[in-house]
Amino acid sequence: MDVDEVFEIIGEFGWQQKKYFLFTGMIGGLYTSGQILQIIFTGALPTFLCYGQTGEVFNNTCFLDDKPESCKRLVYTSEFTSMATEWDLICSQAYQVKAVQSVFMAGVLIGAWLFGQVSDRIGRYKTMLFTHVGLLTFSTFGGFVPNIQLHSICRFMAGVNQGGIGMISYVWFTEMIGTTRRAFCGTWVQVFFSLGIGFHAFIAFLIPNWRQYSAVCALWGLVLIIPFFWILESPRWLLIQGRTLEAKRILQLIAEGNGTAHRLPENWDLRETNRDKKKTHGASVLFKHKILRKQLGIQLFSWCITSLLYYALTLAAGSLSGNIYLNTTLSGFIELPSILITTCLLDRLGRRWSLCSFLIFGGFSCIIIQILSTGEEMSGFQVALALLGKMSVSAAFSVIYVYSAELLPTVIRNLGLGILSSAARVGGILSPFVSLLDDIYPLLQYTILGFFAIVSGIFNTWLPETLGKPLPEDVGDICDSNEAFPTRVETHKLLPLEPQSLSVEDEEETSSEKEFNLEETMAILKTR
């Protein structure tokens, strides 16, 4: 049997896999959301009074050349502290706060690419543990450094490890469940990130000191080291490495955890996958084949734009008028309806059309904001449109993870997702500076974001559908046909029943092909 056939017997999402689901949500969503978006609170712009040289008082404005040094005395009136209050990063120096977030995202870009390759070589488990400890360590140090330069270095290194743990934990979990549960679990695991936004906003409300808040957000990750004592390596990765006995042992342990070990045959084994590892481990494989190049190009653009929209709209929520903690919490919780919608549409409308619809709808929501603009201040309806756009983009983010994981073959799935995640980080690097477009024309950022969202949605119509199709294991599963996932039923014609004159070698190949076609046909019918 192959891995998917074993999961059909022992359970595609049993009790043991539910534990893995909780672990992935905690470490890849609840914990990392605080790392990615902590800049909303650690870099929050304060209200202040600037006392000029001759006694003038300026409210939230610096004297003369817009430099903090031009103020004879600065008095911060906000109830919280942040990097801005400690290092006077206001007025002309406020860009440094945005730069810190861009530096973090640059680290995520490098980490996603680097650890994507590392995990394909040394395994998912070791890479997850290493990157989680690294993220925890550098994030903690970042809360105690004396200046913005050292803080930026710590945030960069934290970003490198964030790029690894965020992507690899998702890939690992995808490989631990059955085919028919991928969409459901891949969508609902995003709930933890949405809840994490509200969770960390609540911590920031309780701890208004930015250094203490940063330390708490990092150190509670110590609790998440405990599950590493019982989680297992991906059996799919082990099988690809030729470590069949280890993969079989892990599947047996999952079956015991699910309480379904008795369903397995008395004598069973895993079907080994024969492939030239040198041809499948390198990133060059993604660019050698025309079909892979086309798919990768579209996905790179889509990941970049989706990430740009998501983080730009999330950071914009923190700068809306009103309570910063409440606004950020609402920005996170607005993602929950999108997950419900995604769950309903993903297995009905399919991956491709779901992604296209969410991007196009979110794009139009953003464009309408400026069409209805009457000034720099947003009306209540425009704020609702911004939240609606955030909800749509969040849904697109949920879909794109599932979609790309199903498009890429197992031998380069982690590497491929690492490259795509790097593209998303380019969008994340740019996102803090998108708000500067409003200095050119009020609310211009929403029009630009909406335009790119619509273009991305249109491009995705050129990708193939993956709903109901098995995960491709090798590059040949994609490149042997014009379809993204050529099933054996489509690419290998069933042989006629009438006896033919065949050589001994042809007869053996024919017998093997018949058996393979019957097995694949039953699997496809069962899935659909």
Side-chain angles (χ1 to χ4, degrees), residues 60-115:
N60 298 326
T61 304
C62 293
F63 184 66
L64 293 178
D65 55 2
D66 200 38
K67 291 183 178 180
E69 300 83 36
S70 65
C71 300
K72 183 178 181 180
R73 185 164 62 97
L74 275 171
V75 177
Y76 293 103
T77 56
S78 299
E79 296 180 354
F80 58 81
T81 67
S82 68
M83 292 184 290
T85 63
E86 182 162 342
W87 296 317
D88 294 336
L89 303 180
I90 55 174
C91 300
S92 62
Q93 301 302 309
Y95 75 93
Q96 294 189 46
V97 174
K98 301 180 186 296
V100 169
Q101 180 68 358
S102 292
V103 165
F104 174 82
M105 285 297 184
V108 176
L109 185 155
I110 294 173
W113 174 81
L114 173 65
F115 289 113

Side-chain angles (χ1 to χ4, degrees), residues 115-298:
F115 289 113
Q117 296 191 69
V118 170
S119 67
D120 278 340
R121 295 183 181 276
I122 70 172
R124 296 6 176 177
Y125 176 88
K126 292 179 181 177
T127 312
M128 279 197 299
L129 178 58
F130 178 83
T131 52
H132 177 63
V133 173
L135 175 60
L136 189 158
T137 302
F138 286 107
S139 184
T140 302
F141 286 161
F144 295 97
V145 292
N147 55 57
I148 187 68
Q149 291 78 19
L150 289 176
H151 181 75
S152 297
I153 293 173
C154 288
R155 293 307 294 162
F156 173 79
M157 294 305 300
V160 171
N161 288 277
Q162 162 67 40
I165 189 64
M167 179 265 300
I168 295 166
S169 61
Y170 180 83
V171 172
W172 170 80
F173 174 68
T174 300
E175 296 178 346
M176 301 296 281
I177 59 177
T179 303
T180 63
R181 309 304 291 176
R182 291 197 309 258
F184 173 83
C185 296
T187 300
W188 279 94
V189 77
Q190 308 298 327
V191 169
F192 290 90
F193 193 92
S194 304
L195 295 176
I197 296 175
F199 172 69
H200 289 96
F202 180 66
I203 294 179
F205 172 74
L206 296 178
I207 309 175
N209 182 287
W210 80 274
R211 289 187 179 276
Q212 296 173 6
Y213 166 76
S214 181
V216 170
C217 285
L219 291 174
W220 81 263
L222 288 170
V223 178
L224 297 176
I225 295 179
I226 298 174
F228 280 97
F229 289 101
W230 54 263
I231 67 170
L232 308 168
E233 181 59 88
S234 164
R236 296 180 190 271
W237 179 82
L238 289 171
L239 192 60
I240 291 296
Q241 303 302 310
R243 296 159 63 176
T244 309
L245 291 178
E246 294 178 64
K248 180 180 177 181
R249 180 181 64 85
I250 287 176
L251 288 170
Q252 184 74 40
L253 291 173
I254 294 175
E256 293 173 1
N258 288 345
T260 56
H262 61 280
R263 298 180 185 174
L264 288 167
E266 185 175 347
N267 296 311
W268 67 281
D269 210 342
L270 284 172
R271 183 185 302 126
E272 295 188 31
T273 304
N274 297 320
R275 53 176 55 83
D276 186 349
K277 295 180 183 177
K278 293 182 180 179
K279 292 184 179 180
T280 55
H281 275 179
S284 60
V285 175
L286 291 166
F287 303 95
K288 286 182 179 179
H289 305 279
K290 181 179 179 181
I291 296 174
L292 277 176
R293 285 198 303 270
K294 172 187 172 182
Q295 292 183 10
L296 184 65
I298 294 173

Side-chain angles (χ1 to χ4, degrees), residues 33-34 36-41 101 105 193-194 196-198 201 306-320 323-335 366 386-387 389-391 393-394 397 428 431-432 434-435 445-446 449:
S33 63
I36 295 175
L37 299 175
Q38 70 170 243
I39 193 68
I40 295 175
F41 307 109
Q101 180 68 358
M105 285 297 184
F193 193 92
S194 304
I197 296 175
T306 304
S307 176
L308 175 64
L309 266 78
Y310 181 86
Y311 290 113
L313 292 175
T314 301
L315 294 174
S319 61
L320 294 176
N323 187 288
I324 185 176
Y325 309 108
L326 179 60
N327 290 338
T328 305
T329 300
L330 290 176
S331 175
F333 287 176
I334 196 65
E335 299 179 14
C366 290
L387 291 175
K390 171 68 186 300
M391 184 180 71
V393 172
S394 175
F397 230 147
S431 62
V434 170
S435 61
Q445 63 168 319
Y446 291 100
L449 292 173

Side-chain angles (χ1 to χ4, degrees), residues 432-466:
F433 297 98
V434 170
S435 61
L436 298 179
L437 291 170
D438 290 352
D439 295 337
I440 302 174
Y441 193 85
L443 305 179
L444 179 60
Q445 63 168 319
Y446 291 100
T447 300
I448 301 300
L449 292 173
F451 170 77
F452 281 111
I454 293 172
V455 172
S456 178
I458 294 172
F459 280 174
N460 276 278
T461 60
W462 297 339
L463 291 177
E465 182 55 71
T466 61

